[in-house]
Amino acid sequence: MTGSQLTSIPEQGQIVTVRQRRFVVAEVQKSSLPPDPLYQSLDVAQHLVTLNSIEDDALGETLQVIWEIEPGTRIDEKVGLPEVRGFDTP
């Protein structure tokens, strides 16, 4: 498990990178099973995350992953339009 996965679970609507592709989080379901005995000291529940692709060549594809054990996951915190810094003269 990586450090970011221990502290950050994505929320519905966030943009994430999984398997080197960008997705929007459609749903997050927390497991009702007890935590893995190997990681009992961390007391980390697993989350099933349903993702919808936002890539041009895979638009509409759905992927489900267990967030805590999926390698290379990243939550893209800053996603949006750039800040306006001024206007061109007419």
Side-chain angles (χ1 to χ4, degrees):
M1 287 190 217
T2 66
S4 65
Q5 291 169 330
L6 291 175
T7 58
S8 298
I9 303 301
E11 297 176 6
Q12 187 175 9
Q14 282 187 310
I15 304 295
V16 297
T17 300
V18 177
R19 301 180 187 176
Q20 300 177 0
R21 299 186 71 106
R22 294 186 61 189
F23 295 87
V24 64
V25 176
E27 185 178 5
V28 179
Q29 296 176 358
K30 185 176 179 180
S31 174
S32 59
L33 297 173
D36 187 335
L38 295 175
Y39 298 105
Q40 208 165 37
S41 63
L42 299 175
D43 196 32
V44 176
Q46 294 181 341
H47 294 80
L48 175 66
V49 180
T50 304
L51 307 166
N52 292 326
S53 177
I54 57 172
E55 298 280 332
D56 288 337
D57 61 344
L59 195 58
E61 284 186 18
T62 301
L63 176 67
Q64 289 187 317
V65 299
I66 304 297
W67 189 257
E68 289 76 12
I69 61 174
E70 181 71 27
T73 58
R74 183 181 77 227
I75 298 173
D76 298 330
E77 298 290 338
K78 283 273 196 182
V79 177
L81 297 173
E83 186 177 319
V84 177
R85 297 185 189 166
F87 295 96
D88 292 338
T89 57

